[in-house]
Amino acid sequence: MTGRALTFGLFLAFILITLAITVRARATTRGADDFYAGGRTFTGPQNGIALAGDYMSAASFLGIAGIIALNGYDGFLYSIGFLVAWLLALLLVELVRNAGRFTMGDVLVRRVRRQAPVRRAAAVSTVTVSVFYLLAQMVGAGALVSLLLGIHRGERFLGMGAATAKTVTIVAVGALMILYVAFGGMKATTWVQIIKTGLLMAGAVVLTALVLGRFGFDAGAMLGSAADASGKGEAFLRPGLQYGQDVPGDAYRTVVNKLDFISLALALVLGTAGLPHVVARFFAVPDGRAARTSVSWAIGLVGVFYLMTLALGFGAAALVGRSAIVAQDPSGNTAVPQLAQAVGEHVGGRAGGDVLLAFIGAVAFATILAVVSGLVLASSTSLAHDYFGQVLMLGRPRESQEVAVARFASFLVGSLAIVLAVVARDLNVAFLVALAFAMAASANVPAIVLSLFWRRFNAAGVVAGIYGGLVASLVLVVFSPVVSGKVDPVTGESLSLFPAGVDFHLFPLENPGLVSIPIGFACAVAGTFAGREKADRDRYDDLSVRALTGAGSQ
Amino acid sequence: MRRRFRRAAVVVTAGFLGWYLVFVGLAAFARGFMARTIAGNVNVALLLGLLQFVSTFALTLGYLAYARRRLDPLAGELR
């Protein structure tokens, strides 16, 4: 009970501090520049720390370490994809920052004559990707908090059972994220991210040091005892336990599994530069050069963090053990909190374990809150600026109107996400993160890259590319084994969203990226040639001068 | 300047994407090779994975230096 009270107290402390920041940010947030881009007053390093915070979701903190703890090396493959992806962001960030003002839509319309359809497509894509990602985070929050408070094992907390606790958590997280965004805008969101990144890095460093300390700072020894404890021996340290499995005697399944893995890897590496909350943050700095600095800071932090997930994952496998992890949560999400308790106990007895567990729990909670706020901010910015300001008001809204709409939009998007997350609260939603990455890679990345680098590209191409990529990834997932037709060969239970017996899957891969990313690019190219509008070369030249030099950008 | 940036972008993209895809391909299709032991519990897969981290950091630093030395002055002139 002391541990739970401590966890809960730390949750509350984080909430109070961030609300205080929000109130202060509210006082200095006036125009659109303040609300959408924090007044562009953040320095490169500050924004980079926040960018890393936007990116390192609970899925990467708890999820990746959990996969490593259960499946060994394959979790590390995730970390690598998530990190390498930043190089594409590094190349694009300056151009995007210079070419745009607040949103991806700003970048895409810079060179076309008819803005409305492009703006609309950008808003649709931003909101769709954000909502899928939001859902994953919020459902995860519900499951996680009830785990951390011990409610899932039939215990009660403040008189709540497990189902109620999940719903209450989702609603509370949702309400807080709406508060941060609607009142504090980009300023509050950025400070929440900076604090969260600090807590997350501190937590990871302390845990990593304690774990390595248990093995006399011999990483090889840790790997060895993780492999021994896993019961899988050497195979635990090699690729292939989870992704791209070989199916003996079934060449077709083996190939499908491998293609599925490559598909996932591709979406991870190409999706990052198109994630709405990542793109939105490119604009919170004064110029392109500061934007470049931000991304390089993010690369450093994310890289160091993912290196530490190795120690956390393998450490949990060695010190907590597979059966104890699976007993708490079959997908491994609690491996890190359990590890915290184990190493804490080793250092400081029962109290030490409780304190460290409470701290890691609070870090995970802060992480979820911060990431969902970033997503809500990105989608409400796009709705207000792209859709309301430029499409409905034909580009002539008063700034105060636009900001008011943005606050209202954050309320709308946030409420939608809360309702959907409560409905979906018991689903396993890990695939939603992969889907959001695939959508970003198939819809947003082709549009951004071709806008910046292809002279002939035009409005019809942008629109076709965005909708084509979005629809392709959605349709492929609906007809994939994720949704129907995947059955556990041993137990006969359904591994899909639909119960066993329902099977309308036509597409063999669980990750759509391998097919949907080429479709996104192909639609963009086909749309360009089909569109009657001739590319405006002068505008393109104007765009590239602005993008490369920053001349004329705000 | 456009040419210079494009050349840099192509080099960096080809470098990281190619190397990453080679790595992913090895992880999917060359399990035997990846399982070879290098020293103690460290195998080829682990070493290559860590090298992905190293190469990402190296490419980042390289691009930053290139941008500072070769792109920024040009951008300043053009402004």
Side-chain angles (χ1 to χ4, degrees):
Chain A
M1 185 57 215
T2 44
R4 284 161 71 185
L6 195 55
T7 309
F8 196 66
L10 286 174
F11 284 2
L12 281 184
F14 178 76
I15 291 171
L16 288 178
I17 292 170
T18 46
L19 283 181
I21 289 169
T22 308
V23 170
R24 285 198 56 180
R26 173 75 181 91
T28 55
T29 295
R30 290 192 181 85
D33 263 341
D34 287 333
F35 189 85
Y36 297 144
R40 301 187 203 293
T41 49
F42 289 102
T43 64
Q46 278 174 338
N47 195 50
I49 296 171
L51 197 53
D54 259 320
Y55 193 64
M56 295 187 288
S57 65
S60 45
F61 176 40
L62 305 174
I64 291 180
I67 301 176
I68 296 180
L70 296 182
N71 290 313
Y73 188 82
D74 278 8
F76 187 41
L77 288 170
Y78 245 107
S79 308
I80 294 169
F82 275 141
L83 173 70
V84 172
W86 279 95
L87 285 170
L88 184 62
L90 179 67
L91 290 174
L92 293 180
V93 61
E94 265 170 282
L95 310 192
V96 170
R97 166 66 192 83
N98 286 334
R101 267 185 85 200
F102 302 125
T103 65
M104 179 178 81
D106 289 337
V107 180
L108 301 181
V109 298
R110 187 65 73 190
R111 50 176 302 179
V112 301
R113 282 200 203 87
R114 283 184 318 124
Q115 291 202 3
V118 172
R119 293 269 187 193
R120 204 176 298 132
V124 166
S125 165
T126 302
V127 174
T128 315
V129 177
S130 302
V131 166
F132 277 105
Y133 208 118
L134 267 174
L135 255 183
Q137 300 291 329
M138 291 174 69
V139 173
L144 180 76
V145 172
S146 54
L147 275 171
L148 291 173
L149 293 175
I151 299 172
H152 69 294
R153 285 168 301 190
E155 294 170 37
R156 299 178 81 76
F157 186 75
L158 299 177
M160 292 182 291
T164 335
K166 267 191 195 174
T167 310
V168 168
T169 307
I170 290 171
V171 174
V173 165
L176 280 168
M177 81 189 173
I178 294 173
L179 272 182
Y180 294 150
V181 175
F183 290 101
M186 185 56 118
K187 276 187 191 163
T189 315
T190 304
W191 283 113
V192 171
Q193 296 293 7
I194 291 175
I195 297 176
K196 165 254 168 127
T197 307
L199 286 174
L200 184 62
M201 294 303 284
V205 167
V206 168
L207 264 189
T208 302
L210 289 177
V211 168
L212 286 176
R214 287 288 296 274
F215 296 96
F217 293 95
D218 178 356
M222 178 185 72
L223 292 176
S225 76
D228 293 340
S230 72
K232 305 228 165 58
E234 286 287 298
F236 196 65
L237 304 178
R238 297 172 196 157
L241 275 182
Q242 182 175 16
Y243 300 119
Q245 285 162 336
D246 290 303
V247 183
D250 190 342
Y252 173 72
R253 281 251 49 101
T254 302
V255 170
V256 166
N257 282 350
K258 297 199 187 257
L259 288 180
D260 216 350
F261 162 58
I262 291 174
S263 186
L264 170 70
L266 209 58
L268 292 185
V269 94
L270 294 180
T272 299
L275 289 176
H277 57 313
V278 168
V279 174
R281 195 161 281 295
F282 289 174
F283 300 110
V285 286
D287 56 38
R289 221 173 283 188
R292 188 200 300 155
T293 316
S294 318
V295 173
S296 61
W297 271 74
I299 290 177
L301 287 167
V302 171
V304 169
F305 178 78
Y306 284 142
L307 280 177
M308 293 193 287
T309 59
L310 269 182
L312 302 183
F314 283 117
L319 299 174
V320 180
R322 183 187 179 84
S323 52
I325 295 172
V326 175
Q328 273 228 357
D329 179 30
S331 47
N333 286 325
T334 50
V336 173
Q338 286 176 292
L339 177 70
Q341 188 157 31
V343 294
E345 258 168 35
H346 187 77
V347 176
R350 207 187 138 80
D354 280 349
V355 169
L356 210 52
L357 172 65
F359 180 64
I360 293 300
V363 168
F365 182 69
T367 294
I368 292 169
L369 262 183
V371 171
V372 291
S373 318
L375 285 162
V376 170
L377 179 67
S379 39
S380 52
T381 297
S382 181
L383 274 178
H385 182 64
D386 288 332
Y387 189 69
F388 171 79
Q390 303 294 328
V391 178
L392 289 185
M393 300 292 284
L394 307 165
R396 291 189 294 271
R398 284 202 308 277
E399 209 174 283
S400 57
Q401 268 178 327
E402 219 185 272
V403 173
V405 170
R407 294 185 201 272
F408 179 65
S410 65
F411 182 75
L412 270 188
V413 175
S415 315
L416 174 73
I418 294 176
V419 171
L420 289 177
V422 168
V423 172
R425 66 169 185 255
D426 290 320
L427 293 181
N428 180 348
V429 287
F431 77 94
L432 285 176
V433 172
L435 174 61
F437 269 83
M439 286 172 139
S442 322
N444 297 351
V445 170
I448 295 175
V449 168
L450 294 177
S451 267
L452 292 172
F453 295 106
W454 190 26
R455 222 157 201 255
R456 176 83 175 74
F457 203 40
N458 61 23
V462 177
V463 172
I466 289 184
Y467 290 130
L470 266 188
V471 170
S473 33
L474 257 181
V475 168
L476 288 178
V477 165
V478 168
F479 291 104
S480 80
V482 170
V483 173
S484 73
K486 192 181 179 193
V487 175
D488 191 312
V490 184
T491 61
E493 272 178 46
S494 172
L495 298 173
S496 314
L497 285 184
F498 279 92
V502 185
D503 184 358
F504 52 89
H505 92 277
L506 301 168
F507 181 66
L509 303 183
E510 296 188 12
N511 297 291
L514 190 62
V515 178
S516 66
I517 296 170
I519 290 183
F521 274 99
C523 286
V525 173
T528 299
F529 288 119
R532 266 165 298 175
E533 177 194 21
K534 265 180 49 186
D536 197 325
R537 312 232 151 164
D538 292 342
R539 274 172 179 256
Y540 177 69
D541 289 334
D542 184 50
L543 164 76
S544 57
V545 169
R546 178 195 289 259
L548 285 169
T549 65
S553 68
Q554 291 157 305
Chain B
M1 164 125 188
R2 191 144 77 193
R3 211 171 318 125
R4 252 189 214 180
F5 175 76
R6 287 206 171 177
R7 203 179 310 136
V10 167
V11 168
V12 174
T13 312
F16 87 83
L17 216 54
W19 162 223
Y20 175 71
L21 288 178
V22 165
F23 170 74
V24 168
L26 284 174
F29 295 106
R31 297 274 159 78
F33 170 70
M34 294 296 258
R36 261 188 225 171
T37 305
I38 293 182
N41 287 308
V42 178
N43 56 24
V44 176
L46 210 58
L47 185 73
L48 290 185
L50 292 175
L51 281 179
Q52 286 280 344
F53 276 72
V54 174
S55 63
T56 302
F57 290 143
L59 272 173
T60 306
L61 291 178
Y63 174 72
L64 288 179
Y66 181 83
R68 234 183 344 256
R69 224 181 44 243
R70 306 296 302 273
L71 298 178
D72 287 351
L74 264 183
E77 256 172 60
L78 286 173
R79 272 187 89 137

